[in-house]
Amino acid sequence: MPRSAAARRHRDDDTDEEELVDLTADLSLHSKRSERQRRRQQSRAARAASRSGAILNLPYELLVLMLSMLHPGDVVRFSAVNRNMRDFVHRERDNIANAIIKRRYRILERCFRLPVLLADVDPELHGDLQLVAREDIMAIHKRPYQHVPLPDPTLICTCLTCLLRWNSLCLVLDFAHWQGDLDQGNALPIIPRGKSPEWNHTLLSSHAALVREALADRLLYAHILQIQLNNTVRSIHRHAQNKGNQRRRFKLSKGDEAAETDQFLEASGPPTLDFPFHRDNYYMLEAYMPGRSWNGDEQRWMYMPAEQHNVDLKVVVRFARWKESEEAKKVRDSEVFLQELRYTNPLLDARNQQ
């Protein structure tokens, strides 16, 4: 091979071993067309911002009134439009929720009250509420239902009233979850006793999380009431189609359904006597309205007062004091027994003195 050819090949190998640097870059667009497109995008964004801001420029009372005409779920979606809407709804959510509840769910609110937070209970009573002997007595109301999650005793009050309130709110969400299967006539899944499948644990955890959020957010609480009204309407329709079911039920007209309020539940109807302790009770459940009973003499519903929580706290205190007296009595009885034993057995007394 000629030396010149070998030299060229050696130079080519050295060139291949050199590191290649990529100097390509995006071309900057400075055309008139791109500039017009950029201005159009800015104009659209400005118009969208002005349209959303125009709503917030309305008088405060008028804007709250407009939002109070919506469903709670619609108000939540309204708050997701932009940051300004979200801030306004977050700031005024209690006023908006109270107006919605007063207009749509006045009766449901009296049946499904929120449990009291433990932080709102006198700290001196926390020990009485968590007394071991009392926990054993209340076990019947805190049993691990398959369709209701257990409450957190460090978050809410565990008096009888608050436990029943927690169970009722969680039941609303679980009953709503199975409405589609009930409408279609599908059998609900059966969970063997003592078992807790993962899907059921996940479902109950989501229900408990929503109820916990509703304890601090009146708008979410109103949304739960909306869910219960939907449960009741769907259940009444479902059972009305069953011609063989001649049980007494609430009368639901087309006007009542179009109004989307709970006013029809004020009329006479079947009372809620028992807590649905199992999902099998969902098949025949129509209007679950706990905390009230029908007064035949006055022809109206009598509701459990909101102050029942305070009454139950007094019961808790009395039980704690009684338990303390019982424990003190046991100590006194044991001391008397030892004294009598020493009196009847001098040898034991002498041994103790040694």
Side-chain angles (χ1 to χ4, degrees):
M1 179 181 296
R3 294 183 60 184
S4 59
R8 283 197 303 272
R9 187 177 64 180
H10 181 69
R11 287 196 300 270
D12 293 341
D13 293 341
D14 293 341
T15 304
D16 294 339
E17 293 177 358
E18 293 180 358
E19 183 179 359
L20 299 178
V21 179
D22 186 8
L23 300 178
T24 59
D26 295 335
L27 296 176
S28 57
L29 301 179
H30 294 289
S31 64
K32 294 182 179 179
R33 180 179 179 182
S34 62
E35 186 65 21
R36 288 194 300 269
Q37 185 177 5
R38 184 182 62 82
R39 286 197 297 266
R40 282 197 296 268
Q41 291 176 351
Q42 292 178 350
S43 178
R44 292 194 197 100
R47 287 197 300 269
S50 63
R51 285 195 299 268
S52 61
I55 298 178
L56 296 178
N57 292 332
L58 294 173
Y60 166 80
E61 294 81 2
L62 181 58
L63 184 55
V64 172
L65 178 61
M66 291 172 55
L67 294 178
S68 66
M69 304 294 288
L70 302 176
H71 293 99
D74 295 333
V75 177
V76 174
R77 285 185 284 271
F78 172 82
S79 65
V81 173
N82 56 33
R83 181 179 299 177
N84 294 332
M85 302 295 187
R86 182 193 62 192
D87 293 342
F88 177 81
V89 172
H90 180 76
R91 185 173 61 252
E92 304 296 337
R93 65 180 184 273
D94 288 345
N95 295 331
I96 297 172
N98 291 334
I100 293 176
I101 292 174
K102 183 178 180 180
R103 180 177 179 272
R104 293 182 180 272
Y105 315 117
R106 181 176 54 86
I107 300 172
L108 288 171
E109 181 192 18
R110 302 170 70 180
C111 293
F112 296 91
R113 301 184 186 273
L114 290 172
V116 179
L117 293 173
L118 187 63
D120 297 333
V121 178
D122 188 352
E124 296 182 357
L125 302 181
H126 290 184
D128 297 339
L129 286 170
Q130 299 175 359
L131 197 64
V132 176
R134 180 180 171 274
E135 293 291 329
D136 296 338
I137 296 177
M138 299 297 293
I140 187 174
H141 301 288
K142 298 174 63 177
R143 65 178 60 182
Y145 292 108
Q146 293 182 345
H147 59 315
V148 175
L150 289 173
D152 184 1
T154 63
L155 177 64
I156 68 170
C157 172
T158 54
C159 71
L160 178 59
T161 297
C162 291
L163 287 178
L164 295 179
R165 291 176 180 179
W166 169 271
N167 291 345
S168 297
L169 291 173
C170 293
L171 180 76
V172 168
L173 301 178
D174 192 74
F175 189 36
H177 178 78
W178 302 104
Q179 284 296 314
D181 294 279
L182 294 172
D183 289 341
Q184 298 175 9
N186 299 332
L188 302 184
I190 299 177
I191 301 176
R193 181 175 298 179
K195 302 296 182 180
S196 180
E198 184 63 26
W199 66 265
N200 191 62
H201 177 74
T202 303
L203 179 63
L204 297 188
S205 298
S206 64
H207 295 167
L210 182 57
V211 174
R212 284 195 298 266
E213 292 181 15
L215 296 177
D217 192 338
R218 292 281 295 177
L219 195 58
L220 287 179
Y221 169 59
H223 183 52
I224 294 178
L225 299 182
Q226 176 190 358
I227 293 174
Q228 175 57 13
L229 180 60
N230 182 62
N231 290 343
T232 304
V233 172
R234 293 180 67 173
S235 298
I236 292 177
H237 278 307
R238 182 169 58 249
H239 288 278
Q241 295 174 0
N242 184 3
K243 301 304 180 181
N245 185 355
Q246 300 298 325
R247 296 186 307 165
R248 186 166 63 101
R249 60 175 55 91
F250 288 96
K251 296 181 180 180
L252 178 64
S253 64
K254 293 183 178 180
D256 295 331
E257 188 174 358
E260 297 182 321
T261 67
D262 61 0
Q263 187 60 38
F264 70 95
L265 295 173
E266 187 68 21
S268 175
T272 300
L273 300 178
D274 300 318
F275 178 79
F277 60 90
H278 197 274
R279 288 194 177 112
D280 286 345
N281 300 117
Y282 291 170
Y283 293 111
M284 300 302 295
L285 184 61
E286 291 187 25
Y288 177 63
M289 302 290 291
R292 71 174 187 174
S293 60
W294 180 257
N295 189 326
D297 296 334
E298 301 182 11
Q299 292 295 304
R300 66 185 184 92
W301 291 100
M302 306 293 289
Y303 294 86
M304 185 74 70
E307 296 77 14
Q308 185 63 34
H309 161 74
N310 299 327
V311 176
D312 284 357
L313 285 182
K314 294 179 181 179
V315 175
V316 170
V317 173
R318 288 200 300 268
F319 177 80
R321 301 294 84 81
W322 173 81
K323 195 63 180 177
E324 291 176 358
S325 64
E326 288 294 315
E327 294 295 333
K329 182 179 179 181
K330 290 181 180 179
V331 173
R332 290 194 303 268
D333 292 344
S334 62
E335 292 177 352
V336 171
F337 174 75
L338 290 176
Q339 291 178 359
E340 293 178 352
L341 186 62
R342 293 192 187 99
Y343 179 77
T344 57
N345 193 344
L347 181 60
L348 178 62
D349 187 36
R351 185 179 301 173
N352 291 334
Q353 291 179 359
Q354 291 178 357

